[in-house]
Amino acid sequence: MPTYNSPALDKGLDILEFLSSQSVPQSQAEIGTGINRKPNEIYRMLVCLEERGYINKEPISGKYQLTLRLFQLSHHHSSIDYLVKSSMPYLEQLSQTIKQSCHLSFFYQNKLLIICQAKSMTPISLSVEVGGVFPITQTNSGKIILANKSTSERKQILKASDDYQILSKDEKGALEKELSDLKDLKCFVQKSTLTEGVTDFAAPVYDINNEVMAVLVVSGLTSQLKNVSQEDIIKEILNTVDAINVSIGGVPKDKK
């Protein structure tokens, strides 16, 4: 069986595995000795791992240690899987009741990730691709997530967002005003910012710590929604959010 070498990947994994075995931070020289490499040979890899958030350097000693990035990654998909499994029965019921497709959006790597969808069985309906990724600042569900982040978290997310950085000063100010109005809103109804002729209904889903972990979204053709009461749609969405909250160990938002 052939063996394919990947020196850079091997070097990075060696560093991570070595640091995981150490109880105290390690210098560049100590890491080099620990993985049998020259210190200057691992400099670029250390810089890369630090930039990606896998390790950090102590400001005083200059020594390196692991961050919680690997821990977060190891638990990230399990939390998504659990949320999807808990939510799908309620999403399917909602879709049947309001005759519209619905999906859950999840904040992932500064983008909006679609993690599951219940499709409408009607002849004409909207659908989004599960696994699709969208700009956090240009979607109504993304704005819900941003609105419920702390000020420091939101600033950090926006600073890293290319879509936010290209906005003018006035556009940034308008977005900040919109986000302040959205905080703690139960259901945000707005025309889609990405697709003409579509209206979004976006409602936050809370985890057991009362923090927004996802957004339930119903995106319908505006022309079709004329035959449906918005009040009824919102009511069914909020009932679904409450059911999801209970299924993952929380309580309905209005009872918190």
Side-chain angles (χ1 to χ4, degrees):
M1 186 174 181
T3 300
Y4 299 96
N5 295 321
S6 180
L9 180 58
D10 284 338
K11 198 182 300 182
L13 292 174
D14 286 343
I15 292 172
L16 293 175
E17 290 174 357
F18 174 72
L19 288 177
S20 71
S21 69
Q22 305 301 305
S23 59
V24 295
Q26 302 289 301
S27 67
Q28 182 175 333
E30 289 169 334
I31 296 172
T33 300
I35 64 175
N36 296 318
R37 295 181 185 272
K38 296 178 181 179
N40 63 337
E41 190 181 351
I42 62 173
Y43 172 74
R44 282 188 175 184
M45 188 57 65
L46 289 172
V47 172
C48 178
L49 290 172
E50 185 177 13
E51 288 179 345
R52 295 292 294 268
Y54 288 93
I55 63 176
N56 62 25
K57 184 193 293 186
E58 288 190 332
I60 298 177
S61 69
K63 294 187 175 184
Y64 295 90
Q65 61 186 354
L66 289 180
T67 66
L68 293 177
R69 176 70 171 155
L70 288 173
F71 176 83
Q72 293 168 342
L73 287 178
S74 68
H75 288 76
H76 194 76
H77 289 288
S78 60
S79 64
I80 290 180
D81 291 342
Y82 179 70
L83 177 58
V84 170
K85 183 178 179 180
S86 301
S87 303
M88 278 307 298
Y90 303 108
L91 294 182
E92 290 170 351
Q93 181 178 342
L94 173 64
S95 178
Q96 292 175 9
T97 301
I98 65 175
K99 295 179 173 54
Q100 299 287 335
S101 298
C102 55
H103 62 268
L104 281 185
S105 300
F106 195 89
F107 180 65
Y108 180 64
Q109 293 188 347
N110 265 32
K111 299 286 185 180
L112 202 68
L113 173 68
I114 308 303
I115 60 173
C116 63
Q117 176 184 216
K119 294 183 179 181
S120 169
M121 294 297 103
T122 55
I124 301 176
S125 65
L126 289 179
S127 177
V128 295
E129 181 182 358
V130 174
V133 176
F134 298 89
I136 190 71
T137 59
Q138 296 181 19
T139 55
N140 292 322
S141 46
K143 291 174 183 177
I144 287 287
I145 291 175
L146 285 172
N148 286 277
K149 294 288 185 182
S150 67
T151 302
S152 60
E153 284 180 308
R154 185 163 62 247
K155 285 183 178 179
Q156 186 176 2
I157 292 168
L158 293 177
K159 184 178 180 180
S161 170
D162 293 335
D163 302 294
Y164 176 77
Q165 295 304 324
I166 63 175
L167 297 179
S168 67
K169 183 178 180 180
D170 288 343
E171 288 172 329
K172 289 179 179 178
L175 177 61
E176 289 293 339
K177 172 66 168 57
E178 186 177 16
L179 295 181
S180 66
D181 293 339
L182 290 178
K183 184 171 175 58
D184 297 325
L185 188 68
K186 289 185 177 181
C187 187
F188 179 38
V189 183
Q190 182 73 284
K191 289 183 179 180
S192 171
T193 54
L194 294 179
T195 308
E196 188 72 24
V198 172
T199 299
D200 290 333
F201 296 76
V205 176
Y206 295 84
D207 62 17
I208 59 175
N209 297 313
N210 198 24
E211 295 181 355
V212 175
M213 66 182 304
V215 179
L216 191 163
V217 183
V218 172
S219 295
L221 295 170
T222 305
S223 58
Q224 286 187 324
L225 292 173
K226 293 178 180 178
N227 301 320
V228 185
S229 164
Q230 284 198 5
E231 289 75 16
D232 287 344
I233 293 177
I234 293 172
K235 177 183 176 182
E236 294 299 333
I237 288 174
L238 294 180
N239 287 340
T240 302
V241 167
D242 282 348
I244 293 173
N245 286 340
V246 172
S247 73
I248 60 178
V251 295
K253 181 63 177 173
D254 60 358
K255 295 182 180 180
K256 290 182 181 181

